[in-house]
Each structure stands twice: as C-alpha cells, then as structure tokens.
Amino acid sequence: MIHKLLQPEGWLPPKGYANGVAARGTTLYVGGQIGWNAQQQFESDDFIDQCGQALRNIAEVLRAGGADPEHMVRMTWYVTDRDEYSRRLAELGPVYRDAMGRNFPAMTCVQVAALVEHRAKIEIEVTAVIPD
C-alpha cells in the first residue's frame, strides 16, 4: 500500500472504497471523465459501458501524468440515475476492477440532474498522489 488508508477504530470496513486516505507527494487532478472515447465519441448509451470507458479514460490520464490507479486517493462519481447505479453495482464491480485493479480510494457518488454532454450518464473525477 503506497498510501495510508484511514479507518476509524470500531467502524465497519467500507466495501469498494476507503473512508479516507493519507498521502504525500506530487498531486495529480484528473478532470471529470465521461464515457466517450479519445475522439470524444460515444460508442454506447449503456451505463456500464460508459462507466468502463470513463474509468479507462482516467487510467490513461493518470499514466500521462506518471501515475497509475494505485496512486488514486479520491474519486467523485456523478451519475444521472442513482437507481440504475445501485441496481447495476454487481455488473460495475468487474468493470471497475478491470480498469482500476483493486484500488479503492475515498469515494463520493452523487446524482445530478444532467451532465454537460447530453448522452453522458456518468462523469468521474480523480485526485491522485505520486509518493515522494
């Protein structure tokens, strides 16, 4: 583990995220990534497909900054349909692990009325820290 996960004593362990992360080093901020490809074209309107593409986009931006998914300390997910997100978590898990591995930073997920790109169903932003 390259960062210290923060787990208060007596709390149940979180599933698929961390309650907090302590890190020191070079900070990378990945702007909100959506489910379109490098040519800014949507290949699918399916929620899980868009999540997978957004996560792969994040991994690419991290690599461009000299980081990898294990350097993530925070993710914020913006979804247009909370119920679909909750209903499809079992499908989302393998897609997440395929792109991010077993790296689970502090996460927040909120439902929004809409995203700037009309077809987008998900937008994810990340903060990562490369240790000194």
Side-chain angles (χ1 to χ4, degrees), residues 78-132:
Y78 303 94
V79 298
T80 58
D81 186 340
R82 176 192 66 182
D83 293 336
E84 182 171 26
Y85 171 85
S86 296
R87 186 174 62 253
R88 299 189 72 188
L89 278 174
E91 295 171 76
L92 183 56
V95 170
Y96 178 92
R97 288 187 300 277
D98 185 56
M100 297 289 127
R102 294 197 164 276
N103 301 293
F104 305 107
M107 291 188 197
T108 300
C109 182
V110 296
Q111 178 176 304
V112 295
L115 296 166
V116 172
E117 292 299 325
H118 179 71
R119 288 178 63 186
K121 296 183 177 214
I122 178 101
E123 185 165 345
I124 308 169
E125 61 184 15
V126 164
T127 303
V129 178
I130 302 170
D132 291 332

Side-chain angles (χ1 to χ4, degrees), residues 1 3-8 11-23 69-77 85 96 102-109 127:
M1 177 62 55
H3 302 304
K4 180 182 177 185
L5 298 182
L6 306 177
Q7 178 64 20
W11 285 28
L12 289 175
K15 296 176 183 173
Y17 66 96
N19 285 309
V21 179
E70 67 263 21
H71 296 111
M72 295 184 302
V73 296
R74 183 164 182 76
M75 293 182 102
T76 303
W77 295 56
Y85 171 85
Y96 178 92
R102 294 197 164 276
N103 301 293
F104 305 107
M107 291 188 197
T108 300
C109 182
T127 303

Side-chain angles (χ1 to χ4, degrees), residues 31-54:
Q33 297 297 306
I34 60 175
W36 63 14
N37 62 27
Q39 286 71 48
Q40 299 180 350
Q41 298 172 342
F42 288 95
E43 296 176 7
S44 175
D45 288 319
D46 178 71
F47 177 75
I48 297 298
D49 290 343
Q50 286 196 17
C51 287
Q53 184 64 59

